[in-house]
């Protein structure tokens, strides 16, 4: 596809369950980001992948959160033992390169997670 | 720790009016200041961006004003239209850092017909 693709678009789960959110970035984009958007809040950085470098995990809120990026393309964000405070929209973005003059981020439409 | 403070949280403007959203930052190492526009159910999209070596950048009805000494920048939407109704986020990025953008908390703009 032409844009960043995320799935599922909506996920309702029970507290304590694990969830996986998928992101398929724009082809050729080497940088991939995960952000979290809670109701009425800004965009909270979670994790950043750049090529084959070690990811920057400094934004992950707890060890229940993890992410992988396979083959430099698709990424999966995993939340273990979900809590109600994990309810949010999880946004994935990619850019051509992590550095450069603009580094414009192209966002997907997000995965809305609701933890009951 | 909120490095980019955005105001107001919400804004209602009449069609044809001027919408003004303000942001202030603390870190003088920031060197790139974009604004993103987000429609309901969609991801944010880059609207306009500025670097601190200029005081103003205009693209159509959208203008960024930048005050380096005050560490403030603002988005002006001239002749606001109902189609401009969206959430607007300012952001900032540190020089030489590809790691992330630091976003403001967002402003929900409603333009009344």
């Amino acid at each position: 596809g032409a844009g960043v693709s995320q799935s599922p678009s909506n996920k309702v789960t029970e507290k304590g369950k694990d969830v996986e959110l998928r992101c398929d970035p724009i082809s050729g984009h080497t940088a991939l980001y995960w952000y979290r958007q809670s109701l009425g809040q800004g965009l909270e950085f979670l994790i950043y992948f750049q090529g084959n470098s070690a990811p920057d995990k400094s934004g992950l809120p707890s060890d229940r959160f993890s992410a992988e990026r396979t083959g430099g393309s698709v990424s999966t964000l995993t939340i273990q033992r979900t809590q109600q405070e994990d309810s949010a929209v999880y946004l994935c973005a990619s850019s051509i390169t992590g550095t450069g003059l603009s580094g414009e981020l192209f966002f997907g439409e997000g995965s809305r997670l609701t933890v009951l | 720790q909120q490095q980019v403070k955005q105001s107001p949280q919400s804004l209602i403007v009449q069609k044809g009016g001027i919408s003004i959203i303000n942001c202030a930052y603390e870190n003088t190492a920031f060197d790139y200041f974009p604004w993103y526009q987000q429609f309901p159910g969609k991801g944010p999209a880059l609207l306009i961006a500025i670097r601190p070596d200029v005081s103003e950048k205009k693209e159509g009805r959208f203008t960024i004003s930048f005050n380096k000494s005050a560490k403030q920048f603002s988005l002006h939407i001239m002749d606001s239209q109902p189609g401009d109704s969206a959430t607007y986020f300012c952001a900032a990025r540190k020089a030489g850092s590809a790691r992330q953008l630091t976003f403001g908390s967002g402003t929900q703009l409603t333009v009344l017909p």
Side-chain angles (χ1 to χ4, degrees):
Chain A
V4 176
S5 178
Q6 291 188 245
S7 62
S9 56
N10 281 286
K11 176 71 176 180
V12 180
T13 190
E14 294 179 348
K15 178 181 174 181
K17 300 284 189 180
D18 298 351
V19 297
E20 286 189 351
L21 308 176
R22 175 189 169 102
C23 173
D24 198 345
I26 294 172
S27 178
H29 282 193
T30 60
L32 186 148
Y33 306 76
W34 283 97
Y35 282 85
R36 179 168 70 176
Q37 184 174 22
S38 302
L39 186 63
Q41 301 295 313
L43 301 172
E44 176 189 7
F45 167 78
L46 297 178
I47 188 169
Y48 159 64
F49 296 89
Q50 171 58 44
N52 295 320
S53 301
D56 179 346
K57 304 179 181 181
S58 61
L60 295 178
S62 78
D63 58 7
R64 296 187 294 105
F65 289 72
S66 63
E68 291 184 341
R69 188 179 185 190
T70 55
S73 180
V74 172
S75 177
T76 301
L77 176 68
T78 301
I79 308 173
Q80 296 178 311
R81 305 181 302 280
T82 52
Q83 303 295 312
Q84 289 183 332
E85 60 263 29
D86 299 334
S87 296
V89 176
Y90 290 83
L91 290 162
C92 176
S94 68
S95 66
I96 293 175
T97 176
T99 57
L101 294 180
S102 71
E104 177 180 356
L105 299 187
F106 294 82
F107 283 88
E109 295 191 345
S111 292
R112 180 177 296 278
L113 174 66
T114 302
V115 182
L116 302 177
Chain B
Q1 182 185 2
Q2 189 177 6
Q3 296 192 53
V4 180
K5 296 183 179 180
Q6 184 173 347
S7 63
Q9 185 174 10
S10 63
L11 180 62
I12 299 175
V13 174
Q14 292 285 342
K15 178 182 176 181
I18 302 173
S19 304
I20 302 174
I21 305 171
N22 300 299
C23 284
Y25 63 97
E26 300 168 356
N27 192 334
T28 56
F30 289 145
D31 75 335
Y32 172 67
F33 302 88
W35 286 87
Y36 279 76
Q37 178 188 54
Q38 184 180 30
F39 293 105
K42 303 293 185 181
L46 179 66
L47 182 63
I48 187 173
I50 197 169
R51 293 194 174 274
D53 52 348
V54 297
S55 60
E56 184 175 284
K57 183 174 182 180
K58 184 176 181 179
E59 291 184 3
R61 296 183 294 107
F62 300 89
T63 300
I64 300 179
S65 297
F66 187 84
N67 186 330
K68 188 174 182 178
S69 61
K71 294 187 286 186
Q72 296 175 346
F73 59 109
S74 60
L75 176 69
H76 293 64
I77 306 174
M78 311 300 288
D79 187 25
S80 298
Q81 299 296 312
D84 297 331
S85 297
T87 300
Y88 293 81
F89 293 95
C90 62
R93 188 183 68 194
K94 279 197 293 186
S97 170
R99 187 170 71 89
Q100 61 168 299
L101 287 172
T102 299
F103 284 89
S105 55
T107 296
Q108 186 169 352
L109 172 65
T110 301
V111 181
L112 301 176

